[in-house]
Amino acid sequence: MINVLIVYYSRHGATRELAKYIAQGVEQAGAEAILRTVPTVSSETEQIKEEVPASGDPYVTQADIKACGGLALGSPTRFGNMAASMKYFIDSTTEAWVKGSLIDKPACVFTSSTSMHGGQESTLLSMMLPLIHHGMMIVGLPYSESDLHHTTSGGTPYGVTHVAGTNNSAQLTDEEKRLAIAQGKRIAILATQLKRN
């Protein structure tokens, strides 16, 4: 069975919620969803992170990256860019890049921000760049997903998004959930088709 690795960083839980709905879509399409997170980057240079988080999904490993059939990458928006923790993780994937482990595999990106104009699309684009360097095929959301026409919350053709609100209390809207599931299905179907060829 093909697997789709869903790697995210989530500070307040919204990006993790998107990851869970993407995983739901992956599994509805008959693939295995593997949820992983990345550790927080600290400004304290002597801070030590446990190898296994106390709760939630396990940290992603280089073995997870090499073994995936597709990759979904999610981060909250930080000044129109991905969070430092996600960038730190991506910078650690040099071995996979040298070996070509991700070449010709599908990838998608997702994000959450506090406001509608918090830089969601530029964050998605910033996460796409290293995936392109890895030789991955970027999978967006086509406008055949009718929620893209009607949403007044998150959702873009570049990838799934969520507007969490200034106090990070806004729950995912029905449109955001459906778009996340659709994104998961799409990447799983493409990963399965590419594996057959």
Side-chain angles (χ1 to χ4, degrees):
M1 177 187 290
I2 198 79
N3 73 63
V4 174
L5 179 62
I6 303 165
V7 181
Y8 67 89
Y9 174 69
S10 190
R11 182 78 177 192
H12 299 287
T15 310
R16 181 184 54 212
E17 283 299 303
L18 283 174
K20 287 162 68 175
Y21 280 98
I22 291 170
Q24 191 176 16
V26 166
E27 292 181 348
Q28 285 178 14
E32 179 186 8
I34 299 174
L35 283 162
R36 296 288 186 264
T37 190
V38 299
T40 300
V41 172
S42 172
S43 60
E44 296 177 34
T45 57
E46 294 183 21
Q47 181 178 355
I48 304 294
K49 268 293 190 196
E50 297 294 328
E51 286 197 26
V52 178
S55 63
D57 296 308
Y59 293 135
V60 65
T61 66
Q62 296 304 315
D64 291 328
I65 291 291
K66 292 175 194 169
C68 76
L71 176 65
L73 206 60
S75 171
T77 294
R78 294 290 184 264
F79 302 104
N81 207 326
M82 72 183 97
S85 297
M86 182 57 68
K87 180 67 166 72
Y88 185 82
F89 162 70
I90 290 172
D91 287 349
S92 76
T93 62
T94 303
E95 183 182 341
W97 174 73
V98 169
K99 293 184 176 178
S101 302
L102 296 173
I103 292 173
D104 292 337
K105 294 180 180 180
C108 67
V109 290
F110 57 101
T111 191
S112 175
S113 67
T114 57
S115 70
M116 183 69 80
H117 306 291
Q120 291 182 345
E121 291 183 346
S122 61
T123 298
L124 296 174
L125 292 168
S126 77
M127 287 191 291
M128 287 178 191
L129 295 176
L131 301 178
I132 292 168
H133 278 263
H134 272 286
M136 301 194 83
M137 294 181 280
I138 305 301
V139 177
L141 278 170
Y143 274 102
S144 57
E145 295 299 332
S146 62
D147 284 313
L148 284 178
H149 295 280
H150 308 293
T151 182
T152 57
S153 55
T156 76
Y158 303 102
V160 183
T161 63
H162 168 65
V163 179
T166 53
N167 59 0
N168 296 297
S169 64
Q171 301 297 308
L172 267 63
T173 65
D174 290 340
E175 292 90 355
E176 290 168 340
K177 290 175 186 177
R178 286 191 296 266
L179 289 169
I181 290 169
Q183 182 74 81
K185 284 182 182 176
R186 188 157 195 252
I187 194 167
I189 289 167
L190 288 170
T192 302
Q193 291 172 342
L194 288 165
K195 185 71 172 177
R196 287 187 189 134
N197 292 334

